[in-house]
Amino acid sequence: MKAIACTKIKVVHYPFLLIDDDEKVAKNILEVFEDFEDFLCLGVIKTKEEAINRILELKPKLVFIEIASKKPDSDLSFAILSELNEFLEELPYFVVLTSDESHAFEAIKKGVSDYLLKPLSQSELRKCLLRFQKKNPVKEPETICVKSYGDYQFVHLKDITHLKADNNTTDIYLSSGQKVSAYKTLKHFESLLPFYFLRVHNSSIVNINYVSRIHLGKLKCYLNNNEISIPFSKSYKDNIDTIIRRISS
């Protein structure tokens, strides 16, 4: 099976989810997004249940949602927002996608942040993203504190290539070749790290900015221009798909 490779992935600041059960429309939207390198699609969602689960799990800053699907069995609607209100103190920045202008006005009444009419215009998307960025300036942590008894190490996130679980401890690997060990589980770090750190295996998290190749046949992810090989499992396929989308674009 052919491997997917690249020489460099630019740092992204804004993760988003796309909720739309029309695969053709979703594909067209993602193609438009290829010109906006600050944004990373974390997944394309087709059902209400999956949408709620993924938003609660990933906590994206931005969500695009179709609320008037033409499919008769579709369950995509404003009910997704109502249910999320039960669990989140603050909802993501929702942008409604619709081909019916009346639904767009309804969206504004329900407190949705913005809307876009289909077919999607690149110029209108650009304006939408600029509005979003103006209201949501980047506020990402630059370092993480690794404590080992009385020893505190402050590690720059941009220097971390990947993390590996070792029983109840975690080894943090840096681009310099250095390894820092922490007496915390991988799950602990997964909850602290920014969105561009993705779990690809029960025992591994990678910084997607260091991914240089993905081999689907061998189930391996390569970092640092193929110097480091990390196995991935099929249970984390959504995260692998996210990295592939970034590489491919």
Side-chain angles (χ1 to χ4, degrees):
M1 185 175 293
K2 185 179 179 181
I4 297 172
C6 73
T7 56
K8 183 179 179 182
I9 301 178
K10 292 189 177 181
V11 175
V12 294
H13 300 295
Y14 299 105
F16 72 91
L17 282 175
L18 174 58
I19 304 173
D20 198 320
D21 55 10
D22 188 323
E23 292 184 7
K24 183 178 179 181
V25 171
K27 181 181 178 181
N28 290 340
I29 291 172
L30 291 178
E31 286 176 354
V32 174
F33 257 104
E34 289 180 3
D35 290 334
F36 301 91
E37 295 179 337
D38 273 354
F39 294 82
L40 174 68
C41 181
L42 297 179
V44 179
I45 314 300
K46 299 178 183 178
T47 67
K48 173 186 173 184
E49 181 179 359
E50 186 185 3
I52 292 172
N53 180 53
R54 294 290 279 171
I55 290 171
L56 294 177
E57 176 192 0
L58 299 173
K59 297 181 176 59
K61 298 180 181 180
L62 177 64
V63 178
F64 291 85
I65 180 171
E66 168 63 76
I67 44 79
S69 173
K70 296 180 180 179
K71 294 189 175 182
D73 58 343
S74 174
D75 60 357
L76 300 182
S77 70
F78 286 114
I80 292 175
L81 281 73
S82 301
E83 192 163 334
L84 285 171
N85 269 316
E86 298 180 27
F87 307 103
L88 298 176
E89 291 186 10
E90 183 179 354
L91 291 180
Y93 189 101
F94 272 95
V95 178
V96 162
L97 303 170
T98 179
S99 54
D100 187 337
E101 197 165 354
S102 65
H103 291 298
F105 291 121
E106 183 184 1
I108 298 300
K109 290 180 182 179
K110 291 188 178 291
V112 169
S113 302
D114 208 341
Y115 69 87
L116 289 170
L117 293 176
K118 296 179 179 179
L120 198 61
S121 157
Q122 189 175 45
S123 62
E124 290 303 313
L125 174 60
R126 186 180 300 278
K127 293 175 186 176
C128 172
L129 297 182
L130 288 173
R131 285 192 292 268
F132 167 75
Q133 288 176 306
K134 184 177 180 179
K135 294 179 181 178
N136 297 271
V138 176
K139 296 179 181 178
E140 292 176 359
E142 295 182 356
T143 61
I144 190 169
C145 179
V146 180
K147 179 184 177 183
S148 176
Y149 297 107
D151 182 18
Y152 294 82
Q153 294 191 60
F154 301 93
V155 180
H156 285 279
L157 294 175
K158 64 180 178 61
D159 295 332
I160 300 174
T161 60
H162 63 293
L163 302 89
K164 276 190 175 183
D166 185 4
N167 294 321
N168 289 324
T169 64
T170 300
D171 291 330
I172 301 171
Y173 293 84
L174 308 182
S175 57
S176 64
Q178 181 185 1
K179 181 179 74 172
V180 179
S181 296
Y183 290 96
K184 292 287 186 180
T185 64
L186 193 66
K187 188 172 182 63
H188 168 80
F189 286 104
E190 186 179 19
S191 66
L192 294 179
L193 293 168
F195 70 93
Y196 52 87
F197 285 88
L198 291 179
R199 197 160 187 162
V200 296
H201 193 277
N202 283 337
S203 61
S204 300
I205 292 175
V206 300
N207 181 342
I208 69 172
N209 296 306
Y210 284 96
V211 175
S212 55
R213 181 185 182 192
I214 290 177
H215 200 300
L216 298 177
K218 294 181 179 179
L219 297 181
K220 285 190 176 181
C221 180
Y222 297 86
L223 312 179
N224 272 2
N225 292 322
N226 305 339
E227 291 180 4
I228 303 169
S229 171
I230 306 289
F232 65 83
S233 59
K234 292 181 179 179
S235 56
Y236 290 97
K237 184 178 182 300
D238 287 344
N239 287 346
I240 292 298
D241 288 344
T242 295
I243 299 173
I244 289 175
R245 273 194 297 271
R246 187 61 186 171
I247 292 176
S248 301
S249 66

